[in-house]
Amino acid sequence: MKKILSIALVTISLYACRSTNLVTISVLHPAPVTMPGNIKNVGIVNRSLIKPKNKALDVVDKVLSIEGDSLDIRAAHAGVTGLADELIKNNRFSSVTVFNSIDLRSNVPGQFPAPLDWDDVDNICKERGVDALFALELFDTDSKVSYAAVPISMKTPLGNIPGIEHHANMLTTVKTGWRIYDPAQRVILDEYPLATNITFSGKGVNPVAAAGAIMNRQEALKTVSGQAGQEYARRLIPFWIRVSRDYYVRGTENFKIAKRKAQTGNWEGAAELWKKETAAASSKVAGRACYNMAIICEINGDLDLAIQWAQKAYENYNNHLALRYVNILKHRKENDEVLKFQQQN
């Protein structure tokens, strides 16, 4: 198991009139989705196609694309492929298989359908030898077109003459929705909608010509759909976030010197001075020093010791920042337990 550490000092914000400064650190956060350890082989199905009798026609798509529904089908397939490629790249599973031959369709265009029947999920997983099923449950595009007439100067054999050029701008929203089915526990491990906007433009001598000049729409839709699949796969991966912590820079001469050491990245040197002040006669100074010791312990990745110092700062010296910090550290410790489980599985 890899040891989880915080990456220390990145930014220090200086406030001459304040008793604290800010230090920004990087913290590894658990993946939004935790997969049970028994899930090693997964399958992916596309359930986003709508049954013909329930298909709501997208009038704009029909006008602007001679391929109509086939464009959405190919874009949805790109989303499934993007998910599969990213899951394979992540090396979380022993095998990742796309089941293109399984025809699952939805009755509800433009929104999440009801979950699959668990008997159907069981049958698919047993027949195909997988432990869980990823499903693209929703794929829908919604396009809105706006037109504008722009005055231009046109060159002619007789010279430049005023004219009008028509501009068409199309905003397309690509909506995807995903679920992960765990047949062993009969639970849905995740349900996640995602929407992405893309803009296209064209111009011509009239509105029809301007709309017809909108180029690369098909490839752009497939690209965005593939990226949506990749983004969903990343919900299974821990990620880094930036967090800020206050630390005290005033109280005694040692705090002033420690501040300068911290500004140069010499946190251990600063900690030596803070530790001396934890035994100060002034409860205010001792509380600040204990609190700062908690900060350095978090920077060094020792959350248990950080909690102890923060608790001491609040319980013994009533430091006003320490109670909130204790809760932050405890939450981090809980997250680290989740991280350990995710890394072991």
Side-chain angles (χ1 to χ4, degrees):
M1 181 184 66
K2 297 179 180 178
K3 186 177 181 182
I4 301 167
L5 297 176
S6 299
I7 295 180
L9 179 66
V10 177
T11 304
I12 297 179
S13 300
L14 305 179
Y15 298 93
C17 60
R18 291 182 51 179
S19 61
T20 61
N21 278 359
L22 289 177
V23 58
T24 303
I25 62 176
S26 295
V27 173
L28 188 59
H29 199 276
V33 180
T34 298
M35 299 294 290
N38 65 297
I39 296 178
K40 301 299 182 184
N41 304 299
V42 299
I44 306 174
V45 295
N46 179 9
R47 194 194 174 200
S48 67
L49 302 181
I50 307 301
K51 292 180 180 179
K53 65 178 181 179
N54 296 309
K55 177 65 178 176
L57 297 180
D58 186 331
V59 176
V60 175
D61 277 348
K62 292 298 183 183
V63 172
L64 296 178
S65 173
I66 60 172
E67 296 174 271
D69 290 342
S70 64
L71 175 57
D72 276 4
I73 293 172
R74 292 200 304 275
H77 179 71
V80 169
T81 302
L83 171 64
D85 290 345
E86 194 68 21
L87 290 178
I88 293 170
K89 186 190 304 181
N90 295 344
N91 294 318
R92 165 60 181 79
F93 303 109
S94 300
S95 69
V96 178
T97 309
V98 177
F99 300 137
N100 289 319
S101 61
I102 298 179
D103 187 10
L104 298 171
R105 292 178 180 258
S106 170
N107 290 318
V108 189
Q111 57 185 292
F112 263 111
L116 287 167
D117 183 88
W118 281 111
D119 289 337
D120 293 335
V121 174
D122 284 335
N123 290 335
I124 292 172
C125 291
K126 288 176 181 177
E127 291 175 3
R128 305 291 175 138
V130 295
D131 306 312
L133 197 64
F134 286 71
L136 174 60
E137 303 266 358
L138 162 67
F139 184 90
D140 187 57
T141 58
D142 181 26
S143 297
K144 296 179 180 178
V145 181
S146 61
Y147 294 96
V150 180
I152 60 170
S153 178
M154 298 186 298
K155 292 183 179 180
T156 71
L158 300 177
N160 293 339
I161 61 172
I164 296 293
E165 185 175 70
H166 292 266
H167 290 197
N169 291 293
M170 180 170 64
L171 174 66
T172 297
T173 301
V174 181
K175 295 186 291 184
T176 57
W178 310 83
R179 284 193 180 109
I180 305 175
Y181 296 88
D182 178 359
Q185 301 182 73
R186 289 208 163 193
V187 296
I188 295 173
L189 297 174
D190 191 40
E191 180 177 290
Y192 187 70
L194 180 66
T196 305
N197 291 327
I198 48 179
T199 303
F200 308 92
S201 61
K203 55 187 178 182
V205 295
N206 55 52
V208 174
I214 293 175
M215 303 296 291
N216 301 320
R217 178 170 177 263
Q218 297 178 23
E219 288 304 314
L221 283 176
K222 289 193 289 184
T223 298
V224 168
S225 301
Q227 291 171 346
Q230 294 169 354
E231 182 173 342
Y232 183 66
R234 297 187 189 108
R235 284 178 59 77
L236 277 64
I237 305 173
F239 59 95
W240 292 97
I241 60 173
R242 310 285 291 168
V243 297
S244 296
R245 304 286 189 246
D246 286 284
Y247 68 97
Y248 288 100
V249 296
R250 289 186 174 187
T252 66
E253 187 64 27
N254 276 339
F255 275 89
K256 294 179 182 179
I257 299 172
K259 170 187 173 181
R260 296 196 294 270
K261 288 181 180 292
Q263 287 173 323
T264 64
N266 183 8
W267 288 96
E268 294 305 320
E272 290 176 4
L273 297 174
W274 292 332
K275 192 167 186 179
K276 290 179 181 179
E277 297 295 349
T278 60
S282 166
S283 61
K284 181 177 181 180
V285 170
R288 288 183 174 188
C290 289
Y291 174 88
N292 279 7
M293 289 303 297
I295 295 290
I296 191 64
C297 288
E298 183 185 14
I299 289 174
N300 289 335
D302 192 339
L303 296 183
D304 289 328
L305 190 55
I307 291 172
Q308 292 175 25
W309 278 114
Q311 286 176 328
K312 184 175 181 179
Y314 180 71
E315 294 172 3
N316 293 7
Y317 303 110
N318 194 29
N319 181 274
H320 72 282
L321 294 181
L323 180 59
R324 178 174 176 272
Y325 191 33
V326 167
N327 293 327
I328 289 172
L329 290 169
K330 286 182 176 180
H331 182 63
R332 268 211 63 191
K333 189 170 172 57
E334 291 172 359
N335 281 344
D336 278 5
E337 292 302 316
V338 176
L339 274 167
K340 291 174 184 176
F341 177 82
Q342 291 178 343
Q343 290 177 340
Q344 289 171 346
N345 293 282

